[in-house]
Amino acid sequence: MIKKLLILLICIIPFHALCQDNLKLWYKKPAKVWTDALPIGNGRLGAMVFGGVKRELIQLNEATLWTGGPVRTNVNPDAYANLLLAREALFKEDDYAKAYNYAKKMQGYYSESYLPLGDLIITQDLKDTIPSSYYRDLNIRDAISTTRYTINGTTYTRQVISSAPDQVIVIHLTASKAGQLNFKVGASSLLKYHTVAVSANEIALKGKAPAHAQPNYIDSANPITYDDSAGCKGMRFELQVKALSKDGRISADTSGITVKNATDVTIFLSAAASFNGFDKCPVSEGKDENKIATQYLNKASIKSWPALLTRHYADYHHYFNRLSFKLATPADNTNAKLPTDERLISYTKGAKDPELETLYFQYGRYLLISSSRTSGVPANLQGIWNKELRPPWSSNYTTNINVQMNYWPAEVANLSEMHMPFIDFIKNVAVTGKITAKEFYHAKGWALHHNSDIWALSNPVGDKGNGDPTWANWTMGSPWLSQHLWWHYQFTKDKKYLKEVAYPIMKSAAEFCEDWLVEDKDGYLVTAPSVSPENAFFDDKGKRASVSIATTMDMSIIRDLFTNVIDASNELGEDKVFRDTIIAKKAKLYPFHIGKKGNLQEWYKDWEDPEPHHRHVSHLFGLFPGNQISPVNTPELTAAAKKTLELRGDEGTGWSLAWKINFWARLLDGNHSYKMLKDLLRATNVAGTNYSGGGGSYINLFDAHPPFQIDGNFGGVSGMAEMLLQSQNNEIQLLPALPDAWATGEISGLKARGNFEVSMNWKNKKITTASILAVVGGKCVIRSNEPLKITGMRVISKKTTNGYVTSFNTKKGLKYNITGAKS
C-alpha cells in the first residue's frame, strides 16, 4: 500500500504527464480502410492489422519482395553527347528549353517497385457478428497489436507480433470460454501464386513476382509484366502459415486451415523471397525461399506464446527503451482519454494534448525499428507496408529528399543500428553508380539520381525521354547520401568504419562532383544542367523553365560533401593531396546569393517562381540537413532563409511540413516549429494526391503525403528532436527551439554528435537538471540559454550574442551532471 502511495505522489509531483504511460494507439471499431489499420514489423516482415470481428484482414509484406532483377548497364549510349549539347545550350545560348530537351535524352529506365506479399484472412464462425464491446490497439512500448471484443458473453482476443529474434509473425487467439474458437484461415496474393497443403495444420503460398511494374503515374495498357527473356527478373517468394492448438481440431487443404472448438490458437506466418543481393539474379542465383521460410517456421513453432513474447519484448525493448520523452500535461487532459481517431480530430480542432505529441514522436521511433532492420534494404517510401501492385511512386527509394528524411532521426533518436540498412544500401548504389557515372557522363566516382530500388538503380529515370527532367535528371544523389555516411561517424566516432566504409565512398562521390562541375563565365565552379527538384522558374524572357545552372541546392549539397570529405580526411590523418584539391575546389564553388526580396536565391539568377508556395524548399539544404547556414555563424543568410520560408508559406505535403519543422528549429523559432508540427498532426482523410494543403496524418498516425508516405513520420521525429537538441558545428545546443507549449518537460536518451547521450529536465523553459554521458570521451561544448554548472568541475559559461557557451573535457564512459547556474 505504501509503495502504491509513493507511486501516486510521484505522479502528482511535479506534474501529471511525467507518470503517464500513454504509448498506445487505440480504437473502438475495426479499420475500414488501409490507413485505419495498424502496422507491425520486424524490419523484414510487415503487417497491417485491421481488427475485424467476423472477418479479420492482415495484409502482409516482406521487405525484399520487389519486381525486377539486377540493373542493366549501357542503357543510354547517347547520354554524354546530349550532356555536352545541354551545356552548350545553357552557357552559349541561354536556351533553357533546349537544355531541357537535351536532358530528356540523357535518361535511362524507371526503377522497380516494392510489392505486397499477400493477405491473410481469418473468417470466424459466429452466430452473432455485433459485439457488445470492442477494442483494438497498437502498443508501441511493446510492439504488439491487440483486438478484443465480446459476443454472446464470450470475449475473443487476438494479439499480433512480428518477432525479430524468431523472424515470424505470430497471431495468438483466445476465447474466454472453452471451445469457442471456430474459424478458417486463408491466404491470397495479388501476385501469381498457388497454394499447397503442407500438412494437417499448415499451408504454403508459393509465387513469383513480376519482371516489371510500370510506375503508377505512367499510363500503360500492360503495366505488369511477368515475362522476361533474360530469365533474371521476377523473384520467387513463399508464405507459410501454420496453426497450433492444445484443445481444438485443426485441418488443412488448399483452401486454407480450419480450426474447430478451440480455446487457444497460435498461428505462425513465415515468409521469404529468393532475393540474394542487388547484383545477383534472383532466379538462377536466388536464395532458397522455401528452405529459409521453413527453418524460421520450424524453429519458432516449437516455442510457446509466452516464450515468443519474452524474446520479442527483450529484442524490441533493447532499442525502444533507450529514449523517454514526457511533457507537462494538465490533470484534466480529457483529450488523452479519447480513442486515437477521435483524439486526433479533436486535436486538429484545437484541443491541447502534449501526450499526443510525445506519442507521435515515439511512434516514429517504433516505425523505424519496425521497418529498417534488413541489411541493404532500407525503409522505402512506405517503410515496409504496401498493399498495391503498383504502389504510389513505386514505393521506391526517392533520393531527392524522401529516403534521406527516413533516416534523419536514426542517430539523434538513439537508433543508430537502424541507420545501417541505409548505409549498406549506399555501399550497393556506390557500385552501380560508378558504372552510371562512367557510361552517362564519362566521369569518375559514382552518380545517383532521383530514384533507386532494391537493385541499386542509379541512372536518371524516365524511360529514355519520357520523364520530366525537373526530377528525373537531378544528379545530386551521391553527395547527399554521402552525408549519412558522415553523420554515422559523427554520432559514433567509429574510426574503423570511417576508414573502411565511409571515407572511400564519400571520396568517390567527391570525385564525381569534381568531374561534374564546370567553370562559368566568372570562374566559379557550377553544375550544369542543374535542377531544383520538381520546381520551375520564369527566365529572363518570362518563359517557364526548370533546367539551368548551379541551383542553390546543388551547390549546397556539393559544399556539404566537400566539407565532410575534408573533415574526414583530417580525422583519419591521411590523403592530404586529395584533401588539398577539394579545399581548392570548395573555395571556387558558386556561392549563396540573397535575392531582391531578401530571400535565399534558389536559382543561378534571381528569377520569379511560377509556384511561390511550392512544396519543395530544396535551396534551404544548407540550413537543414546541412549546417552551412546558422544564426550563430551566418546571420545574414539565416535572415534570408527565414524570408524564404515566409514567402513559401506553411502549407505543403506531409514530408514538406516535416522538413519545415526542422528548418524552423534550425532558425531557433520553436513556436513556428511547433505550428508546423501541429499542421503535420492534423487529421486528414485525403485519398488522392494534394500537393498544397493535403498533408497531415491519417487516423493510424501514418503521414499523409497524400497518399501515405512514411517520410513525414520520420521527418517529424527529426524536427521534434531538433527543437530539443542540436549538435552541428561542434557544439551541443540544449533546448535551442523550445516552444512555449513545451515549457516544462523531460527527455532522456537523445544522442548528439561526438557520441554524447543527453538527458534533460526543464521547467519554465529553463534547464533544471541535465546529464551528458560521454560514450567515447573528448571535448564537449554546450550552448545554452542560461549559464550552466557541471557537478564536480570548475567551468565558466561564457556569454555570447547567442546564449552561453560552456566547454569541458570528458572521459570515456563517464556521465556529467548539469544544472542551471541559478538553480
Side-chain angles (χ1 to χ4, degrees), residues 782-795:
I782 301 176
R783 186 176 293 273
S784 57
N785 296 323
E786 66 271 352
L788 302 174
K789 293 179 181 177
I790 314 295
T791 302
M793 300 183 75
R794 296 183 66 180
V795 296

Side-chain angles (χ1 to χ4, degrees), residues 647-714:
L647 292 170
R648 271 292 199 264
D650 289 341
E651 288 298 326
T653 57
W655 63 262
S656 175
L657 299 175
W659 200 353
K660 289 172 183 175
I661 300 171
N662 291 271
F663 284 146
W664 285 107
R666 284 287 175 93
L667 292 174
L668 310 182
D669 191 335
N671 286 334
H672 207 129
S673 284
Y674 182 69
K675 179 192 180 301
M676 301 312 306
L677 172 62
K678 288 177 70 69
D679 287 349
L680 184 62
L681 258 173
R682 65 192 175 202
T684 183
N685 60 1
V686 177
T689 302
N690 185 330
Y691 282 138
S692 56
S697 297
Y698 297 108
I699 66 167
N700 66 356
L701 300 188
F702 268 174
D703 169 63
H705 173 63
F708 163 58
Q709 279 187 194
I710 206 166
D711 41 24
N713 288 98
F714 296 137

Side-chain angles (χ1 to χ4, degrees), residues 721-782:
E722 289 286 324
M723 293 160 72
L724 298 167
L725 178 76
Q726 295 180 24
S727 60
Q728 65 272 14
N729 299 316
N730 299 313
E731 293 180 345
I732 298 173
Q733 191 163 4
L734 306 182
L735 306 181
L738 192 69
D740 295 339
W742 294 357
T744 301
E746 64 177 53
I747 193 163
S748 63
L750 283 174
K751 292 299 288 289
R753 288 171 176 84
N755 206 345
F756 295 104
E757 186 170 304
V758 181
S759 299
M760 296 177 285
N761 293 266
W762 64 93
K763 188 174 183 180
N764 297 325
K765 300 184 74 172
K766 292 186 179 296
I767 292 286
T768 53
T769 61
S771 68
I772 291 184
L773 173 64
V775 179
V776 298
K779 186 176 183 180
C780 182
V781 180
I782 301 176

Side-chain angles (χ1 to χ4, degrees), residues 592-641:
F592 290 113
H593 287 75
I594 297 175
K596 56 183 175 290
K597 297 176 182 177
N599 58 310
L600 193 71
Q601 196 168 294
E602 183 170 4
W603 308 97
Y604 188 59
K605 298 181 181 179
D606 194 10
W607 289 313
E608 292 291 332
D609 295 315
E611 298 178 64
H613 298 152
H614 197 273
R615 63 196 177 279
H616 281 261
V617 199
S618 302
H619 47 311
L620 294 192
F621 176 95
L623 178 64
F624 187 92
N627 63 344
Q628 299 156 46
I629 300 173
S630 73
V632 173
N633 297 324
T634 59
E636 289 185 4
L637 290 175
T638 299

Side-chain angles (χ1 to χ4, degrees), residues 456-646:
L457 180 84
S458 54
N459 65 232
V461 297
D463 205 17
K464 298 185 72 173
N466 293 319
D468 187 336
T470 61
W471 43 268
N473 289 83
W474 180 80
T475 55
M476 291 291 102
S478 63
W480 192 347
L481 264 62
S482 294
Q483 183 186 64
H484 283 260
L485 300 171
W486 177 241
W487 278 10
H488 185 67
Y489 171 72
Q490 286 183 301
F491 278 93
T492 64
K493 305 301 284 187
D494 182 346
K495 280 202 174 176
K496 183 174 185 291
Y497 153 83
L498 179 64
K499 181 180 180 67
E500 297 178 2
V501 177
Y503 183 71
I505 300 174
M506 292 166 63
K507 178 179 179 178
S508 183
E511 287 172 334
F512 168 71
C513 292
E514 276 190 287
D515 282 359
W516 182 248
L517 289 163
V518 292
E519 280 195 6
D520 72 356
K521 62 183 186 328
D522 299 315
Y524 286 115
L525 289 176
V526 298
T527 55
S530 178
V531 298
S532 195
E534 303 176 44
N535 203 4
F537 59 88
F538 288 124
D539 67 14
D540 296 333
K541 300 174 183 177
K543 294 181 179 179
R544 184 180 176 121
S546 56
V547 175
S548 66
I549 299 165
T551 61
T552 299
M553 186 196 210
D554 276 12
M555 305 316 298
S556 299
I557 292 174
I558 293 174
R559 190 177 293 110
D560 180 86
L561 172 66
F562 282 4
T563 301
N564 296 342
V565 166
I566 293 163
D567 289 346
S569 173
N570 279 321
E571 285 281 293
L572 294 170
E574 59 185 46
D575 214 4
K576 183 178 184 301
V577 173
F578 185 73
R579 179 171 72 237
D580 289 345
T581 299
I582 295 301
I583 289 171
K585 289 188 178 294
K586 180 185 171 185
K588 291 183 65 178
L589 293 176
Y590 191 71
F592 290 113
H593 287 75
I594 297 175
K596 56 183 175 290
K597 297 176 182 177
N599 58 310
L600 193 71
Q601 196 168 294
E602 183 170 4
W603 308 97
Y604 188 59
K605 298 181 181 179
D606 194 10
W607 289 313
E608 292 291 332
D609 295 315
E611 298 178 64
H613 298 152
H614 197 273
R615 63 196 177 279
H616 281 261
V617 199
S618 302
H619 47 311
L620 294 192
F621 176 95
L623 178 64
F624 187 92
N627 63 344
Q628 299 156 46
I629 300 173
S630 73
V632 173
N633 297 324
T634 59
E636 289 185 4
L637 290 175
T638 299
K642 182 177 181 180
K643 185 64 175 179
T644 298
L645 286 171
E646 291 170 348

Side-chain angles (χ1 to χ4, degrees), residues 46-164:
M48 295 293 286
V49 182
F50 280 67
V53 176
K54 181 176 177 63
R55 181 183 184 275
E56 169 65 304
L57 168 60
I58 299 178
Q59 185 265 314
L60 304 169
N61 289 99
E62 204 275 351
T64 67
L65 184 54
W66 289 63
T67 61
V71 297
R72 288 182 287 169
T73 62
N74 199 30
V75 296
N76 189 345
D78 299 327
Y80 184 68
N82 283 287
L83 168 63
L84 298 181
L85 291 170
R87 286 178 173 170
E88 184 176 338
L90 289 167
F91 288 111
K92 294 183 179 179
E93 304 173 44
D94 286 339
D95 194 330
Y96 306 109
K98 188 180 287 187
Y100 177 95
N101 289 325
Y102 285 131
K104 288 172 76 78
K105 296 176 183 178
M106 294 160 58
Q107 296 168 1
Y109 293 113
Y110 286 119
S111 77
E112 296 300 339
S113 300
Y114 180 55
L115 295 169
L117 171 63
D119 290 342
L120 189 85
I121 306 292
I122 302 174
T123 306
Q124 198 163 351
D125 184 7
L126 296 169
K127 294 178 181 178
D128 189 356
T129 58
I130 301 176
S132 57
S133 65
Y134 178 91
Y135 172 89
R136 70 179 173 107
D137 76 17
L138 175 63
N139 180 338
I140 63 171
R141 179 173 291 285
D142 295 327
I144 183 168
S145 176
T146 300
T147 302
R148 185 182 301 113
Y149 49 88
T150 302
I151 293 179
N152 293 330
T154 300
T155 298
Y156 299 92
T157 303
R158 279 195 302 269
Q159 294 176 289
V160 189
I161 61 170
S162 185
S163 169

Side-chain angles (χ1 to χ4, degrees), residues 43 319 322 368-369 371-379 397 403 406-411 414-428 481 484-489 491-492 494 496-498 500-502 505:
Y319 302 107
R322 293 172 180 173
L368 190 59
I369 297 169
S371 65
S372 184
R373 297 180 69 175
T374 302
S375 178
V377 188
Y397 303 122
V403 71
N406 283 0
Y407 288 92
W408 286 351
E411 302 289 347
N414 212 333
L415 295 173
S416 187
E417 297 91 338
M418 276 71 239
H419 209 171
M420 294 313 297
F422 187 38
I423 290 170
D424 291 335
F425 168 79
I426 296 170
K427 294 181 197 175
N428 296 343
L481 264 62
H484 283 260
L485 300 171
W486 177 241
W487 278 10
H488 185 67
Y489 171 72
F491 278 93
T492 64
D494 182 346
K496 183 174 185 291
Y497 153 83
L498 179 64
E500 297 178 2
V501 177
I505 300 174

Side-chain angles (χ1 to χ4, degrees), residues 108-355:
Y109 293 113
Y110 286 119
S111 77
E112 296 300 339
S113 300
Y114 180 55
L115 295 169
L117 171 63
D119 290 342
L120 189 85
I121 306 292
I122 302 174
T123 306
Q124 198 163 351
D125 184 7
L126 296 169
K127 294 178 181 178
D128 189 356
T129 58
I130 301 176
S132 57
S133 65
Y134 178 91
Y135 172 89
R136 70 179 173 107
D137 76 17
L138 175 63
N139 180 338
I140 63 171
R141 179 173 291 285
D142 295 327
I144 183 168
S145 176
T146 300
T147 302
R148 185 182 301 113
Y149 49 88
T150 302
I151 293 179
N152 293 330
T154 300
T155 298
Y156 299 92
T157 303
R158 279 195 302 269
Q159 294 176 289
V160 189
I161 61 170
S162 185
S163 169
D166 287 301
Q167 283 299 304
V168 289
I169 292 173
V170 188
I171 307 164
H172 186 232
L173 303 93
T174 60
S176 63
K177 295 181 180 179
Q180 294 301 302
L181 286 174
N182 294 278
F183 59 86
K184 186 164 185 175
V185 182
S188 64
S189 177
L190 294 175
L191 310 179
K192 286 186 175 180
Y193 75 97
H194 66 278
T195 305
V196 177
V198 178
S199 68
N201 65 340
E202 182 182 344
I203 61 172
L205 187 153
K206 301 171 182 278
K208 184 180 185 296
H212 181 65
Q214 284 284 67
N216 70 311
Y217 48 84
I218 299 298
D219 268 339
S220 173
N222 298 293
I224 308 297
T225 307
Y226 277 90
D227 295 331
D228 173 39
S229 57
C232 252
K233 292 191 174 184
M235 66 178 71
R236 303 179 303 275
F237 68 92
E238 184 163 331
L239 167 65
Q240 299 180 0
V241 185
K242 185 174 186 176
L244 295 174
S245 175
K246 292 180 179 179
D247 62 348
R249 299 195 310 274
I250 301 176
S251 60
D253 56 33
T254 54
S255 68
I257 301 173
T258 301
V259 178
K260 291 185 177 181
N261 303 323
T263 311
D264 186 305
V265 180
T266 306
I267 301 172
F268 296 84
L269 308 180
S270 182
S274 64
F275 176 75
N276 193 26
F278 75 100
D279 55 352
K280 299 285 196 304
C281 172
V283 181
S284 61
E285 302 174 281
K287 290 183 177 180
D288 186 337
E289 70 283 0
N290 173 266
K291 181 180 178 180
I292 295 169
T294 300
Q295 286 179 342
Y296 284 140
L297 184 69
N298 289 344
K299 288 180 180 180
S301 60
I302 61 174
K303 299 182 178 75
S304 68
W305 172 246
L308 291 161
L309 273 185
T310 298
R311 287 165 56 80
H312 168 66
Y313 289 158
D315 171 81
Y316 176 73
H317 291 160
H318 173 69
Y319 302 107
F320 185 80
N321 289 355
R322 293 172 180 173
L323 191 151
S324 173
F325 179 24
K326 298 170 184 176
L327 294 169
T329 303
D332 60 346
N333 184 20
T334 56
N335 208 61
K337 299 174 184 177
L338 296 173
T340 304
D341 50 348
E342 298 175 28
R343 183 180 187 181
L344 183 65
I345 292 168
S346 178
Y347 178 86
T348 303
K349 293 178 179 177
K352 294 181 179 180
D353 192 350
E355 286 177 309

